[in-house]
Amino acid sequence: MIPAAHTGGDARHAHCVVVCASIHDVTAAERGLRLAGLWCDMVPTPRPLSSNCGMVVEFHGRDIEQVKAVLAGLPIRLAGIYVATGAEYVRDP
Amino acid sequence: MDRFIYLDNAATSFPKPAVVTRAMVEFLERSGANPGRSGHRLSAQAARIVHEGRLAVAGLLGVRDARQLIFTANATASLNLALNGFLRPGDHVVTTSLEHNSVMRPLRRLREQRGVAVTLARADGRGVLDPQVVREALRPATRLVVVTHASNVTGAVVPLAEIRAAIGDLPLLVDGAQTVGALPIDVNAPRIDLLAFSGHKSLLGPPGIGCLYVGPELALEPLVVGGTGSGSESDAQPEVLPDLLESGTPNGVGIAGLGAAVRLLAEAGLPEIAGHKERLLDSLLCGLGEIEGVRIHGPGTARAIPGAATEAAAGAAATRGGARVPIVSLTVRNLTVSDLAYRLDRRYGILARAGLHCAPQAHRTIGTFPEGTLRLSPGYLNTADEIALTLAALRELAAEALAGGERP
């Protein structure tokens, strides 16, 4: 996982995560992003976001618009995309 | 291992393709962790394998949203989940006289314990189900229709499209234990609302893994609740599929094998595989038709064909034209089916199943209760030579029985 503290709050380079309702949705999201050629990985859900599935998909903040476009075309229940800003996670609107 | 001819594929297909074994070994050796629960790389890899398996099965059946596919232990578990999870007190169910006990027993318990009313739509003496009989069994309180897609006793395929037309928009639960992987199935045409099946028969997967497809319009109550890897801060069961109906550590190694098997079926082509099995079935039926003292039970056998040399020949000729999976039920005059199966096994190394095949109602329907039948069920990996050897063995055994010279 990219340490949130290293991102400096800049979403273009930030550590971002896709949060879903179930592990099925998480794996579906990761699969879709990889098929679209985007770097991503399944990692444990950061504690501040742990009220959802136990894993999330992390990706580079610079890809956020592409990620959103890919996810919009997938049959998944998206709980949100979060951007790490410092030690906090901010939900992408 | 001694050489043998395995003709019990309707119970469990054997042997499994090498890719299935490899996928299972690989899962255990490289990614056998708890899928998606633990967060580390092996857990993620296991979750991916489960996901790919679900997608593979969904693709085979035209399931548009793989979340609607629930992994279970087998077709029986799937049927129990469907019936117990859907039916409520006061509901009425229509099912058929061809069903396996995996339908009949849960329905009996629901009748006794939940007050669910059950009506049997009876097939005729050949085991042929008339959709009009199903329509006539419907009542205003009917909430579910349950049909086997193919009889595990006769192999005859029921006319699903006509049944769907006969029941209108009512929810339809199909027992696909004998057809999923054997016939092309699309859950959208005709519309199937619940499809229960196991992975270890025609899908060529390992035992211990099955599926229930749950249509998007249906809501099922879970039979088992617990850990899902999601919503872990709450002790409330997640409402989303598949988690709602899939609690506890899944059978990852079984899903790995099933996924590999389904991908093999897709690559080899289900119609090609079905064609091979049909050719074996044809050889079997034709050969059996020439053996005096052998009687084939099921559709067609009651229809006499002018010129047919024996009653079995009439059965073979008439059944070949109908839709069926490669299952043949037979009896041999002057020989019990248990003795027949025993002699086939011990004298010829031919493995078949004798008895009632967990479907007493189906045997009552075709007039073979309580003695039962010998069931021969060729599979994808059987050969024409094996069918020829089986016919030769049956020819000897039938002749011995007719002559009254039964060998011990």
Side-chain angles (χ1 to χ4, degrees):
Chain A
M1 185 189 295
I2 305 166
H6 294 176
T7 63
D10 181 347
R12 289 172 302 167
H13 304 290
H15 153 58
C16 297
V17 295
V18 179
V19 182
C20 299
S22 74
I23 192 65
H24 174 87
D25 293 310
V26 173
T27 45
E30 185 201 49
R31 186 176 189 274
L33 294 175
R34 285 188 171 179
L35 286 173
L38 295 165
W39 179 88
C40 62
D41 200 8
M42 280 169 63
V43 296
T45 304
R47 288 308 302 167
L49 305 175
S50 66
S51 62
N52 289 283
C53 184
M55 298 190 84
V56 294
V57 182
E58 70 169 351
F59 63 94
H60 289 304
R62 62 173 178 264
D63 296 330
I64 192 166
E65 294 307 321
Q66 288 169 274
V67 165
K68 286 196 281 190
V70 171
L71 295 180
L74 296 176
I76 61 171
R77 282 157 306 228
L78 191 62
I81 292 175
Y82 289 81
V83 180
T85 57
E88 295 187 346
Y89 284 84
V90 176
R91 183 173 178 140
D92 186 77
Chain B
M1 184 186 295
D2 293 336
R3 292 189 66 181
F4 55 82
I5 296 172
Y6 186 82
L7 289 176
D8 194 20
N9 290 278
T12 294
S13 56
F14 181 90
K16 303 300 179 186
V19 291
V20 173
T21 309
R22 276 203 298 275
M24 297 175 74
V25 169
E26 194 165 313
F27 182 90
L28 290 173
E29 290 185 345
R30 298 189 191 174
S31 53
N34 205 315
R37 305 295 204 273
S38 303
H40 50 69
R41 69 187 70 181
L42 288 189
S43 180
Q45 184 56 17
R48 292 183 190 109
I49 290 169
V50 169
H51 187 71
E52 292 295 334
R54 204 184 304 269
L55 291 181
V57 177
L60 184 76
L61 301 170
V63 174
R64 295 181 183 126
D65 184 346
R67 289 173 296 191
Q68 309 291 137
L69 269 176
I70 309 303
F71 283 122
T72 65
N74 45 50
T76 299
S78 300
L79 288 161
N80 272 268
L81 173 56
L83 293 166
N84 289 287
F86 185 69
L87 293 170
R88 299 186 296 242
D91 285 344
H92 174 247
V93 181
V94 173
T95 190
T96 83
S97 66
L98 299 173
E99 304 303 317
H100 190 277
N101 269 344
S102 54
V103 166
M104 300 305 287
R105 287 179 173 171
L107 283 179
R108 178 174 173 148
R109 281 175 73 85
L110 281 164
R111 195 177 68 228
E112 292 172 350
Q113 298 179 357
R114 217 180 280 184
V116 169
V118 180
T119 300
L120 275 190
R122 296 194 181 278
D124 67 16
R126 301 170 298 152
V128 173
L129 182 67
D130 180 353
Q132 185 60 29
V133 175
V134 177
R135 185 205 297 268
E136 288 164 3
L138 301 178
R139 298 181 194 165
T142 304
R143 192 151 168 268
L144 185 67
V145 175
V146 188
V147 296
T148 184
H149 194 186
S151 165
N152 72 312
V153 174
T154 69
V157 176
V158 307
L160 270 193
E162 288 81 356
I163 288 171
R164 166 49 75 195
I167 67 171
D169 204 37
L170 277 171
L172 176 64
L173 164 58
V174 173
D175 176 0
Q178 295 298 341
T179 54
V180 173
L183 302 174
I185 294 175
D186 183 337
V187 295
N188 307 294
R191 193 190 91 212
I192 296 170
D193 301 287
L194 295 157
L195 177 64
F197 54 98
S198 55
H200 66 279
K201 298 181 193 277
S202 287
L203 283 176
L204 305 177
I209 186 70
C211 287
L212 176 68
Y213 162 71
V214 182
E217 307 299 321
L218 296 193
L220 296 190
E221 286 293 321
L223 300 190
V224 176
V225 295
T228 59
S230 54
S232 296
E233 80 289 354
S234 169
D235 60 9
Q237 184 73 0
E239 293 292 325
V240 298
L241 292 178
D243 294 21
L244 172 67
L245 303 174
E246 261 184 25
S247 290
T249 301
N251 180 1
V253 62
I255 296 168
L258 178 62
V262 173
R263 286 188 287 275
L264 173 71
L265 289 182
E267 287 163 15
L270 207 139
E272 284 71 22
I273 293 171
H276 170 70
K277 290 196 282 191
E278 275 172 20
R279 285 189 288 279
L280 297 180
L281 177 66
D282 277 358
S283 301
L284 194 55
L285 288 168
C286 285
L288 290 171
E290 295 167 356
I291 302 175
E292 192 181 356
V294 168
R295 180 175 175 190
I296 302 171
H297 299 271
T301 51
R303 233 184 312 163
I305 296 200
T310 67
E311 55 188 339
T319 49
R320 211 175 309 129
R324 67 186 296 167
V325 290
I327 290 173
V328 178
S329 254
L330 62 91
T331 48
V332 171
R333 202 177 302 156
N334 297 343
L335 195 56
T336 66
V337 292
S338 54
D339 282 350
L340 178 57
Y342 180 77
R343 289 172 198 196
L344 281 171
D345 181 352
R346 297 307 166 97
R347 205 191 292 178
Y348 302 96
I350 295 168
L351 312 186
R353 180 166 168 181
L356 295 173
H357 316 102
C358 299
Q361 193 60 243
H363 278 280
R364 284 191 182 93
T365 300
I366 63 169
T368 48
F369 185 88
E371 293 81 8
T373 56
L374 180 87
R375 186 179 72 179
L376 301 173
S377 50
Y380 178 42
L381 297 174
N382 283 120
T383 65
D385 284 347
E386 290 179 327
I387 298 300
L389 288 168
T390 302
L391 289 167
L394 282 166
R395 203 172 289 120
E396 282 187 8
L397 290 172
E400 280 178 20
L402 281 180
E406 295 186 18
R407 280 169 47 172

